[in-house]
Amino acid sequence: MTGPHEVEDLLRACAPQVLGALVRRYGDFDLCEDAVQEALIAAARQWPGEGVPDNARGWLLTVAQRKYVDQVRSEAARRRREDAVALATPDAALLAPAADDAPGTDADDSLSLLFLCCHPDLSPPSRIALTLRAVGGLTTAQIAAAFLVPEATMAQRISRAKQTIKAGGWSLAPPEGADRTARLAEVRHVLYLVFNEGYTASGGEALTAPELSTEAIRLARMLHRLVPDDTETAGLLALMLLTDARRPARTGPHGELVPLAEQDRGNWDGGLIAEGVELISRTLPRGRVGPYQLQAAIAAVHDEAGTAQATDWPQILALYELLERTGPNPMVTLNRAVAVAMVHGPEAGLDLLDGLAADRLLARNHRLLATRAHLLELLGDEKGAAEAYREAARHTTSAPERRHLTERARRLG
């Protein structure tokens, strides 16, 4: 017998390949996705007891094709499409995989599927939801729970995304040239957003949503295998690994937030740190350095410091200065202000924050307010720091962050 976890891992690895193969053959994303989901359910019920087939992907593809054809045949009003499907599907494909159908065929469809789910005409929330559903294999209920929205809301979001794909007549054909580069950047951005939401949940009672950050890492690994020469994809994966390595130490015994400087570094995941450091060290010398690579390098400097006091802040400041040159980003400037404070003193950091306070979108952001509070505390202005901590607590939607900021204010009196 095969364990349920092994079966689940295999199904999630095969799902995008099978869906990609079906969409390439039939073109109807919505019906193809439903057919693949039914095939996955059938496998989840059958394989743990009967064993995994020698060609698991071929088995899933055959069952999914049958399910798809059944769906089409059940719609009498769509007779023309039924005829087209019947003509496009060899009889042998409905019976069993071909003898020479080796596992791994159509593997590139996983990348094409990612491109399709992250189409720029879809809204960012739709891209995230569709990627997690179609490529990640998460159920609608799991995605809804992770993002703290009702399941019906998430189902509507996914349904609208599928309808947009259908109405747009988008094919699975991968983009080329500059369009491919832009679409790959969209895919990376979606995975980055998913990871960030998992590492620090934007709302709710829990600080983290581990299932999201774990899924983002899994998909980033898959993307890195599909485009091994893309240095920014390697940088994104390294950033995720080096950041997620600290997750076990980010919360205390009661779920409370533990700041980086106060974390027990013995609880960090040494395996993830070693993998991330090796990956970014191998990637940086290979070509033009982008923002994900620079963020990964900053994370590596933090992770390689044995104590908070041993952190190489001048190196981190230099990396943030390089990162700012890749494009204006107030959150990067916010982080650079902390590095400036650690190298040149809290007054210098506060001067940078004064400039950010003029940004209408950032002025009331709890991270800006919390950073100001931290620098005021370093400066010795306990009253000003307490007020800033309380103000930051009023603006965050995360319950653990609110409790942490309120407690910091209380300690300063």
Side-chain angles (χ1 to χ4, degrees):
M1 292 181 65
T2 305
H5 292 298
E6 292 83 357
V7 169
E8 181 180 355
D9 290 345
L10 181 58
L11 290 176
R12 296 179 75 181
C14 290
Q17 299 176 28
V18 175
L19 179 55
L22 246 64
V23 173
R24 182 177 296 281
R25 172 171 287 176
Y26 301 122
D28 191 323
F29 185 95
D30 198 1
L31 285 183
C32 288
E33 203 264 344
D34 288 342
V36 171
Q37 290 296 320
E38 290 192 40
L40 293 175
I41 292 172
R45 291 172 177 169
Q46 185 173 328
W47 290 3
E50 299 182 8
V52 177
D54 292 337
N55 184 352
R57 191 195 64 82
W59 188 100
L60 285 169
L61 184 55
T62 299
V63 174
Q65 285 178 150
R66 290 173 180 165
K67 299 291 185 183
Y68 179 86
V69 173
D70 287 345
Q71 288 178 19
V72 174
R73 285 177 174 164
S74 68
E75 301 177 20
R78 300 188 179 184
R79 185 65 58 187
R80 290 182 180 177
R81 186 169 64 181
E82 177 183 1
D83 293 339
V85 169
L87 289 172
T89 306
D91 290 341
L94 299 177
L95 299 175
D100 60 352
D101 186 14
T105 304
D106 296 326
D108 287 346
D109 283 335
S110 297
L111 181 58
S112 299
L113 189 62
L114 271 169
F115 282 146
L116 185 61
C117 291
C118 298
H119 196 285
D121 286 352
L122 293 173
S123 68
S126 294
R127 294 177 210 166
I128 291 171
L130 197 59
T131 298
L132 290 174
R133 165 79 178 186
V135 187
L138 297 183
T139 66
T140 303
Q142 288 173 319
I143 303 170
F147 283 93
L148 303 174
V149 299
E151 184 175 350
T153 300
M154 187 58 68
Q156 290 175 355
R157 188 175 297 171
I158 293 171
S159 178
R160 282 195 299 267
K162 293 180 185 178
Q163 290 169 6
T164 301
I165 290 175
K166 184 176 181 179
W170 303 337
S171 72
L172 199 66
E176 298 179 356
D179 189 28
R180 184 183 190 277
T181 301
R183 292 280 285 278
L184 184 56
E186 294 286 354
V187 172
R188 286 194 299 261
H189 184 57
V190 164
L191 299 185
Y192 181 66
L193 292 176
V194 172
F195 177 82
N196 282 344
E197 182 62 26
Y199 191 72
T200 303
S202 57
E205 289 297 319
L207 179 66
T208 64
E211 65 276 13
L212 284 180
S213 50
T214 299
E215 181 59 22
I217 290 174
R218 189 185 74 84
L219 293 176
R221 288 187 189 279
M222 182 185 79
L223 184 61
H224 180 49
R225 287 195 300 271
L226 294 170
V227 287
D229 295 328
D230 185 74
T231 53
E232 271 294 80
T233 297
L236 174 62
L237 176 57
L239 172 62
M240 290 180 179
L241 296 172
L242 290 163
T243 305
D244 202 55
R246 307 180 206 137
R247 180 155 50 93
R250 289 190 69 227
T251 53
H254 304 294
E256 66 273 20
L257 185 154
V258 181
L260 178 63
E262 300 173 18
Q263 289 174 15
D264 181 354
R265 300 185 178 215
N267 288 334
W268 288 0
D269 190 322
L272 290 182
I273 293 174
E275 183 183 358
V277 169
E278 191 277 332
L279 180 56
I280 193 59
S281 299
R282 174 163 40 91
T283 301
L284 282 173
R286 288 173 51 195
R288 183 178 178 182
V289 176
Y292 290 122
Q293 295 169 73
L294 289 170
Q295 290 179 76
I298 292 168
V301 175
H302 278 297
D303 287 9
E304 290 185 301
T307 64
Q309 293 72 27
T311 303
D312 188 346
W313 283 106
Q315 184 179 359
I316 289 176
L317 177 57
L319 288 167
Y320 270 122
E321 289 172 347
L322 288 174
L323 183 57
E324 270 194 319
R325 294 177 194 171
T326 65
N329 185 321
M331 296 309 294
V332 172
T333 304
L334 180 62
N335 288 323
R336 182 168 71 87
V338 176
V340 166
M342 300 306 292
V343 175
H344 300 299
E347 297 97 333
L350 286 166
D351 287 341
L352 263 181
L353 295 187
D354 288 340
L356 287 175
D359 187 313
R360 182 174 57 84
L361 296 177
L362 200 62
R364 297 290 88 187
N365 185 283
H366 78 280
R367 298 196 189 285
L368 174 60
L369 296 165
T371 302
R372 178 180 295 281
H374 175 60
L375 298 190
L376 287 171
E377 186 177 358
L378 290 178
L379 191 62
D381 182 357
E382 295 188 355
K383 181 179 179 182
E387 291 176 355
Y389 277 130
R390 282 191 288 268
E391 182 70 7
R394 285 192 288 270
H395 284 82
T396 182
T397 55
S398 166
E401 287 187 334
R402 186 183 306 112
R403 288 192 292 268
H404 169 73
L405 294 167
T406 301
E407 176 61 17
R408 299 291 285 204
R410 187 195 66 78
R411 289 181 185 178
L412 293 172

